[in-house]
Amino acid sequence: MVTIPETMISSSEGPRPIPLIAMGTATESGIAGIEVVAPSTLIEAIKAGYRHFDTAAVYRTEKPIGEAVAEALRLGLIKSRSKIFITTKLWCNSADRHLVVPAIKQSLKNLGLEYVDLYLIHWPLKLIQGDYKSPIPSECIAAMDMKAVWEGMEECQNLGLTKSIGVSNFSTKRIEQIPSFANIPPAVNQIEMNAHWQQQKITNFCKANGILVTAYSPLGAAVNSSWGHDIVMECDVLQDIAKCKGKTVAQISLRWLYEQGVSIAVKSFNTKRMKQNLDIFDWSLTKEELNKIGQLTQRRRLYLLGTMVTEHNDILAEIDAELD
């Protein structure tokens, strides 16, 4: 079993450790309500060494994660709840001051837990929509009152419902607004980041302000998926480096992210690949290899929040422009 390195983030208890690799659990089918990951798969991840699980209200994977944690405790795979780090997120239809605390309480009910370790605002916008349905009508997208929603996030932390709070898909511009009204700064910003979308500007900004970046879609996305592209896994430069080092392209991609000083949310429900994705800590990339990766063409994945709506509205177009 691999021991995953940790770093520290701000929390209600002061600096607190967070494992640098999380098991991602978002799937197209899960969000569509067709199927979700089985608890038994997550148990295999725990056996492999994963101690951080990334979920969200909209992913529909909170319940199986909670069941897996309970089973892992029963089996003695982990000694206590504190040995597992759980991140979940506030979905856009609860992005109102009075809905934030009820939303995290529902997530905790789904998880069967008394607290989560990290709670994130999923997107910097509001959906005027009950249950998630796709495509989302453009008229259902509205601006979010960031100050009011952040007050709700701070209440979640003050109530002990989460140890830390943060954001997801926030640009530098939007994060810069938070200190003007916040009592608790964001601990994390989760953004799309990989070798073909390197996000240097916002990563440097977050590091300078004590905010940990978590990279999602570190491998792009599955082939034939409407969520993204296969440019990372089919990249000639990454393939050549992988061949020379006797590693997989995924391992090269994840090691590159690790060397950027960010945390990573990577998803694979295949037991072999779960283990391979953790085998990145006892070797490194050379300066020449890092330079080659640094020169890769930059391409954001095709899947944006906009693909879930019938058409872009002004708010969504603004967010997309900020994240470029």
Side-chain angles (χ1 to χ4, degrees), residues 127-144:
L127 293 183
I128 307 168
Q129 186 184 55
D131 293 337
Y132 169 76
K133 295 179 181 179
S134 180
I136 301 167
S138 182
E139 62 269 18
C140 289
I141 300 176
M144 181 180 70

Side-chain angles (χ1 to χ4, degrees), residues 162-176:
T162 181
K163 301 293 185 181
S164 301
I165 53 177
V167 295
S168 178
N169 300 299
F170 270 52
S171 65
T172 298
K173 177 182 174 181
R174 289 182 184 270
I175 296 175
E176 284 177 328

